[in-house]
Amino acid sequence: MPSAVCGGLAGSELRHRRGRCGPQAARAAVPEEAAEAAAQSPKRPAPGSRPSEAACRWVLLALVTLLAFATRFHRLDQPPHVCWDETHFGKMGSYYINRTFFFDVHPPLGKMLIGLAGYLSGYDGTFMFQKPGDRYEHHNYMGMRGFCAFLGSLLIPFAYLTVLELSKSLPAALLSAALLTFDTGCLTLSQYILLDPILMFFIMAAMLSMVKYNSCADRPFSAPWWFWLSLTGINLAGAIGVKFVGLFIILHVGWNTVSDLWHLFGDLSLSLVTVGKHLIARILCLIVLPLALYTAIYAVHFAVLNQSGPGDGFFSSAFQARLSGNTLHNASVPEYLAFGSVITVKNLRMAIGYLHSHRHLYPEGIGARQQQVTTYLHKDYNNLWIIKKQNTDSDPLDPSFPVEFVQHGDIIRLEHKETSRNLHSHYHEAPLTRKHYQVTGYGINGTGDSNDFWRIEVINRKFGNRIKVLRSRIRFIHLVTGCVLGSSGKVLPKWGWEQLEVTCSPYLKETLNSIWNVEDHINPKLPNISLDVLQPSFPEILLESHLVMIRGNNGLKPKDNEFTSKPWHWPINYQGLRFSGVNDTDFRVYLLGNPVVWWLNLLSIALYLLSGSIIAVAVQRGAHLPAEVEGLSQVLLRGGGQLLLGWALHYFPFFLMGRVLYFHHYFPAMLFSSMLTGILWDTLLRLCACGLAASSLASGVHMGGVLSLLLGTAYSFYLFHPLAYGMVGPLAQDPQSPMAGLRWLESWDF
């Protein structure tokens, strides 16, 4: 039997953890003893060769890392203009440098790190990042791109070390590293100012830390064990701190931890006190530590972003009062609402915004062709309304008139300050929510009709109560139709400037959509009070920010003519994503996975499910396997099983999501499938070699197979590298194009 190929993964190198075998423990004892005997056989490498093997591992790691950095940093400055989502995340990095508050649907860590990288590299935060194609000119963008490329480069050595730990096989680790190094998709994502390389860095770091602390299971509570366990918790906080999809690696580590504790509980050689210590250690390192770090991320986020900015309108009035430069910060306004006051009215549902109107009309066929009324998330002069009595045009601000406060149950008109049209409703159906009534701006210079009258009500108050700024929760009931003013939260088409629909609902149930508060309040006849007392505490800010982010994520629906993709497209590399350029005169970058790598990964998942099922059934039925085959089977089932679980957890949840999805969402799962491919093919080739009598032939089959896969992926990278590094000239359909003949699928648009 060719032990150099087959026996190299059996025996003592495969550390079977205590209590981890369950019902198979007795069955595994015999193969384990056989493997121990194989380890003593003269055909195995001599003990003196182990230092050279370790040196070989480090040399290969250095070469893999060097190649990763070389491919990721090559032509990093090209193109010298904004590409794809650099528009968003570069701009957000600038906001951190300028300490300007903004809103994003993702947690803040990734943008904070981008901003820090820009600041340390000399970027001053003045570039606007308005749209893709804007040239950077003299602005220093290389620090932010370089930071993302640095983290993207580390994915390859992380994959190498993870597979090496799971399989104890250098060829498997090398093959996994090569698949990621030569993938054009991973390369492209690593070269731009994006959250993806930062997210994938923390996911892979958490995975590596987890398998490292698993490997220390025979030395619990030792310094290395504590180090890797704590580092796993730190990386989990990093992953969830960049994007909420970091939850998937938390589930992965959680599943591994529960399984580990369950087997420890079943190990009768351990006392319950020891099992309790294991439980407490994991609670501290994998729950308490990540939560503390995650909370600290937000503490830094709120401390840095203390200036008013474009994200104010997504948050409550009390939240805005803490932002310097906001109209509510250190503000003093009249406490009670009076006729003649100029106000802004804010919806209490998160991320709905302010009652708003503008001079544009509803288009033909959308109810009455009157002035649009929407909700708008940002501060704007078009959010200002004047509160007036229902049927008088006298000026309440005239000094000769006494102040008359607005009270619960009063009938009022709301006149739009900029256009002098009244808030109006009628029996025409709303533009999107067909069972509701349309809300418009109507009249000339405040003169309209009876459909402009609204009864103002304070929630849970009696008739006669005054309306308080910020504190009173109010509703507007239309006098003629009896409907209640609200916002559906639905995004209007382009004719409505993608603002949110305002309707008048005939269903009077109290919901946050139909409850408002008065925020800005201007009335020169009234005394002011300070708003400092309304500033929320840190826990309230933290909770509110998460509610807003969750709602923002749920509201990410496909827009008209927007390019999106479906999860089933991703593993087959069905369709890429244009990063830059559209025609033969542009510098074109196209996000597409190396098809050889991706289709090999897809084939490997299918082969793994087949071969793993066969081996699992054989083991369960008590089949006697040779020691070498037993060792390889354990690598395939345990190491490969961890990676298959990682792939499934990072892929299948997207089928359940209602939000808009893009091709780049698959790349964390792709990391796991590439590592699984490395372990699978190395194991299958070793199993094939085990059936050959001649040792030299067996070694040749194994090494020849691995080398063929390495050369094949390298050559495919040579063919497809223009997708990542950029193309200029004819499109792929032209015989003169650098990609001529490589458009293997009609859906590839390069």
Side-chain angles (χ1 to χ4, degrees), residues 375-389:
T375 55
Y376 187 51
L377 289 168
H378 307 289
K379 300 277 190 178
D380 190 279
Y381 285 114
N382 281 321
N383 300 341
L384 296 176
W385 300 83
I386 305 171
I387 189 163
K388 292 189 172 183
K389 290 189 174 182

Side-chain angles (χ1 to χ4, degrees), residues 41-273:
S41 86
K43 292 183 181 181
R44 281 184 61 83
S49 68
R50 292 201 172 183
S52 62
E53 182 181 339
C56 181
R57 290 181 178 184
W58 286 106
V59 168
L60 281 177
L61 175 61
L63 291 175
V64 161
T65 305
L66 182 64
L67 185 59
F69 275 83
T71 53
R72 269 59 184 168
F73 278 83
H74 178 61
R75 301 192 69 182
L76 187 62
D77 60 332
Q78 297 297 316
H81 61 245
V82 177
C83 292
W84 195 51
D85 270 359
E86 285 188 324
T87 307
H88 302 301
F89 303 119
K91 183 185 297 181
M92 292 170 189
S94 299
Y95 285 144
Y96 277 105
I97 294 173
N98 297 316
R99 309 193 67 174
T100 303
F101 187 78
F102 67 94
F103 165 72
D104 185 43
V105 296
H106 306 300
L109 180 60
K111 285 94 66 179
M112 288 171 60
L113 293 175
I114 289 172
L116 179 62
Y119 176 77
L120 294 177
S121 61
Y123 170 59
D124 59 6
T126 58
F127 186 68
M128 299 302 294
F129 286 97
Q130 287 186 332
K131 63 183 185 302
D134 287 351
R135 298 189 67 83
Y136 286 111
E137 302 294 346
H138 63 279
H139 295 277
N140 186 355
Y141 63 99
M142 285 297 292
M144 292 181 284
R145 278 194 184 174
F147 170 72
C148 292
F150 176 79
L151 296 187
S153 301
L154 290 177
L155 299 177
I156 284 84
F158 284 178
Y160 172 91
L161 291 170
T162 300
V163 172
L164 188 62
E165 194 63 52
L166 289 172
S167 68
K168 307 298 179 187
S169 169
L170 279 174
L174 191 61
L175 180 55
S176 299
L179 292 172
L180 294 178
T181 301
F182 297 132
D183 178 56
T184 51
C186 281
L187 171 59
T188 304
L189 280 181
S190 298
Q191 288 199 306
Y192 297 95
I193 306 170
L194 303 172
L195 296 185
D196 300 270
I198 308 174
L199 172 67
M200 291 191 290
F201 167 83
F202 283 113
I203 289 174
M204 288 295 289
M207 184 67 189
L208 175 59
S209 303
M210 184 186 76
V211 299
K212 282 289 189 181
Y213 94 73
N214 282 345
S215 71
C216 297
D218 55 346
R219 294 169 290 154
F221 309 111
S222 63
W225 186 87
W226 278 111
F227 172 78
W228 290 114
L229 185 63
S230 301
L231 192 58
T232 303
I234 293 170
N235 289 319
L236 292 180
I240 193 73
V242 175
K243 279 189 175 184
F244 283 129
V245 293
L247 176 65
F248 302 151
I249 189 64
I250 292 176
L251 294 176
H252 191 174
V253 173
W255 177 269
N256 178 81
T257 302
V258 170
S259 175
D260 188 32
L261 289 171
W262 179 250
H263 288 293
L264 288 172
F265 183 71
D267 187 350
L268 300 182
S269 66
L270 299 178
S271 69
L272 289 179
V273 173

Side-chain angles (χ1 to χ4, degrees), residues 316-322 328 333 469-471 529-537 540:
S316 68
S317 306
F319 184 99
Q320 295 178 42
R322 57 178 294 277
L328 299 176
V333 299
V469 173
L470 296 185
R471 299 171 187 170
I529 63 164
S530 173
L531 298 181
D532 287 346
V533 294
L534 297 177
Q535 292 192 19
S537 63
E540 291 172 323

Side-chain angles (χ1 to χ4, degrees), residues 371-664:
Q371 185 167 294
Q372 297 176 16
V373 173
T374 64
T375 55
Y376 187 51
L377 289 168
H378 307 289
K379 300 277 190 178
D380 190 279
Y381 285 114
N382 281 321
N383 300 341
L384 296 176
W385 300 83
I386 305 171
I387 189 163
K388 292 189 172 183
K389 290 189 174 182
Q390 69 178 101
N391 53 8
T392 178
D393 292 323
S394 60
D395 183 7
L397 297 182
D398 189 324
S400 62
F401 287 96
V403 173
E404 189 173 352
F405 291 104
V406 180
Q407 298 180 339
H408 173 78
D410 281 350
I411 308 302
I412 65 168
R413 284 186 295 125
L414 284 177
E415 180 184 315
H416 190 240
K417 189 173 187 299
E418 291 296 304
T419 62
S420 298
R421 296 188 188 274
N422 296 326
L423 187 71
H424 178 98
S425 187
H426 42 221
Y427 286 107
H428 293 277
E429 63 183 16
L432 302 179
T433 310
R434 300 296 184 176
K435 293 183 179 181
H436 292 188
Y437 301 137
Q438 183 186 33
V439 176
T440 68
Y442 178 75
I444 300 174
N445 294 325
T447 301
D449 60 25
S450 60
N451 280 323
D452 304 337
F453 300 154
W454 303 81
R455 185 173 67 253
I456 187 167
E457 294 182 352
V458 183
I459 304 299
N460 299 326
R461 292 294 185 271
K462 298 178 181 178
F463 279 81
N465 283 115
R466 296 177 181 179
I467 312 296
K468 285 187 177 182
V469 173
L470 296 185
R471 299 171 187 170
S472 292
R473 295 154 56 93
I474 58 178
R475 297 200 307 167
F476 298 97
I477 308 296
H478 192 242
L479 209 58
V480 173
T481 64
C483 59
V484 58
L485 182 72
S487 175
S488 66
K490 297 177 181 178
V491 179
L492 293 169
K494 289 184 178 179
W495 56 256
W497 304 94
E498 297 178 350
Q499 295 173 12
L500 304 185
E501 179 191 40
V502 169
T503 69
C504 199
S505 169
Y507 311 105
L508 300 182
K509 182 181 178 181
E510 290 181 6
T511 64
L512 289 180
N513 296 63
S514 61
I515 301 176
W516 309 77
N517 72 272
V518 175
E519 184 175 286
D520 295 302
H521 182 203
I522 303 168
N523 193 318
K525 296 176 68 174
L526 296 174
N528 294 339
I529 63 164
S530 173
L531 298 181
D532 287 346
V533 294
L534 297 177
Q535 292 192 19
S537 63
F538 176 74
E540 291 172 323
I541 294 172
L542 188 63
L543 176 61
E544 180 177 346
S545 63
H546 279 78
L547 292 174
V548 173
M549 284 189 291
I550 291 169
R551 173 158 177 78
N553 265 301
N554 292 337
L556 290 176
K557 305 298 182 184
K559 300 176 183 176
D560 293 342
N561 302 319
E562 184 179 21
F563 176 83
T564 61
S565 63
K566 300 183 183 302
W568 69 266
H569 291 169
W570 303 341
I572 62 177
N573 210 26
Y574 177 76
Q575 198 169 31
L577 199 155
R578 188 180 294 113
F579 262 44
S580 176
V582 293
N583 54 50
D584 56 2
T585 61
D586 292 336
F587 186 92
R588 303 191 305 281
V589 176
Y590 190 72
L591 177 66
L592 186 74
N594 182 333
V596 172
V597 172
W598 284 55
W599 294 342
L600 179 63
N601 286 348
L602 191 61
L603 173 64
S604 299
I605 291 171
L607 284 178
Y608 178 83
L609 292 173
L610 177 63
S611 58
S613 299
I614 292 172
I615 292 172
V617 168
V619 170
Q620 190 69 21
R621 293 296 298 170
H624 180 72
L625 301 176
E628 296 86 357
V629 175
E630 171 74 14
L632 292 169
S633 300
Q634 290 298 325
V635 167
L636 197 62
L637 292 178
R638 292 183 179 177
Q642 283 276 19
L643 298 174
L644 182 70
L645 176 63
W647 173 79
L649 286 174
H650 285 83
Y651 175 49
F652 288 113
F654 286 103
F655 284 94
L656 305 177
M657 295 185 185
R659 58 155 288 172
V660 61
L661 297 172
Y662 301 100
F663 177 47
H664 70 101

